[in-house]
Amino acid sequence: MGGLQRLEHRLEQMISGAFAKAFRSAVQPVEISAALQRECDNNAQILSRDRRLVPNDFHVELSPTDLDRLSAYDVALAEEMAQQLKAHADQQGYAFPGPISIAFEPAEDLTTGRFRIRSRAQAKVTSHATPTQVGRARAVLEVNGTRHPLQPPGLVVGRGTDADVRINDPGVSRRHVEFVVEGGGSGLLIKAVDLGSTNGMLVDGHRITSTSLHDGSQVKIGNTTMTVRVLEERDH
């Protein structure tokens, strides 16, 4: 029995026979699972002779009718499909840059029985900042759904263990960019400085080595985009 057949069998057992009835003449979960694997195959980026980077963040768009049928099982389906993707990745020598995320979303332009998948490689981001430090910050750096305080003297972003904010992105150097922060309150000054990285950086779409930043500035390194957020003064 192949991997997709095993997936379908587990799903049928898991939801006690309601599966086949609910999905008759609609999108079949096994079709979605196969499409997720193809999405990885079609978007694999070579890291080395034996390893390739593949997307780990997936958005499955369905017709409102199909999404309604699926809604009772979406969490269980996502978990099973993620396990199937991990098994496929192990067989093919694929590497995910972070945890696998599968979300199901409505698309008004799709008819019953049709779906499409959007995917991206979203790197895992870690730092030593505490929630209290983030909460007190006058400015933060947003990276892949995480927030990191921008406060004097600043922080270094990179792939190495010595970076203040570590991004598991193969296109990011060990010490890629430094965010220099000076001043405080309304006089806060933030600057991005490339640290001699291999692939450089883009600031608001322009390749540059050093520049001042403002609220909403976007800095892209590797496949990762970071956004500067300057927060309102907090009441004491």
Side-chain angles (χ1 to χ4, degrees), residues 27-45:
V27 168
Q28 300 297 315
V30 70
E31 295 174 341
I32 298 175
S33 188
L36 289 170
Q37 293 184 22
R38 288 195 301 272
E39 191 74 8
C40 288
D41 296 339
N42 294 336
N43 292 281
Q45 301 178 40

Side-chain angles (χ1 to χ4, degrees), residues 42-62:
N42 294 336
N43 292 281
Q45 301 178 40
I46 296 175
L47 295 178
S48 65
R49 187 175 65 178
D50 301 319
R51 294 178 69 243
R52 286 176 286 176
L53 181 75
V54 293
N56 61 315
D57 185 60
F58 302 90
H59 295 261
V60 182
E61 296 182 345
L62 302 145

Side-chain angles (χ1 to χ4, degrees), residues 2-3 11 15 27 37 44 47 49 54 80 82 89 94 98 126 129 137 148 150 168 174 182 184 191 193 222 233:
L11 291 173
I15 54 185
V27 168
Q37 293 184 22
L47 295 178
R49 187 175 65 178
V54 293
E80 286 292 335
Y94 294 157
T126 56
H148 310 273
L150 286 171
N168 185 31
R174 296 185 62 82
E182 300 176 345
K191 185 177 182 180
V193 180
E233 281 285 359

Side-chain angles (χ1 to χ4, degrees), residues 2-149:
L4 293 176
Q5 289 177 309
R6 286 195 298 270
L7 169 66
E8 189 169 35
H9 182 65
R10 285 199 304 271
L11 291 173
E12 289 175 340
Q13 289 183 319
M14 180 172 55
I15 54 185
S16 304
F19 171 83
K21 185 181 297 183
F23 287 96
R24 189 175 297 137
S25 75
V27 168
Q28 300 297 315
V30 70
E31 295 174 341
I32 298 175
S33 188
L36 289 170
Q37 293 184 22
R38 288 195 301 272
E39 191 74 8
C40 288
D41 296 339
N42 294 336
N43 292 281
Q45 301 178 40
I46 296 175
L47 295 178
S48 65
R49 187 175 65 178
D50 301 319
R51 294 178 69 243
R52 286 176 286 176
L53 181 75
V54 293
N56 61 315
D57 185 60
F58 302 90
H59 295 261
V60 182
E61 296 182 345
L62 302 145
S63 72
T65 300
D66 281 325
L67 185 63
D68 183 60
R69 289 193 178 105
L70 183 146
S71 60
Y73 320 115
D74 57 355
V75 174
L77 285 173
E79 291 176 352
E80 286 292 335
M81 290 176 181
Q83 291 300 319
Q84 191 69 22
L85 272 180
K86 289 178 182 177
H88 181 66
D90 290 342
Q91 292 175 354
Q92 301 299 322
Y94 294 157
F96 297 107
I100 297 174
S101 173
I102 302 174
F104 301 98
E105 301 172 352
E108 297 293 337
D109 63 318
L110 293 178
T111 57
T112 301
R114 299 185 66 88
F115 67 92
R116 62 172 167 257
I117 296 175
R118 294 182 291 107
S119 68
R120 61 177 176 170
Q122 181 164 280
K124 181 180 179 181
V125 182
T126 56
S127 78
H128 298 298
T130 66
T132 299
Q133 290 174 319
V134 175
R136 291 178 175 174
R138 283 281 298 113
V140 296
L141 188 66
E142 294 182 343
V143 193
N144 291 353
T146 64
R147 280 188 159 195
H148 310 273

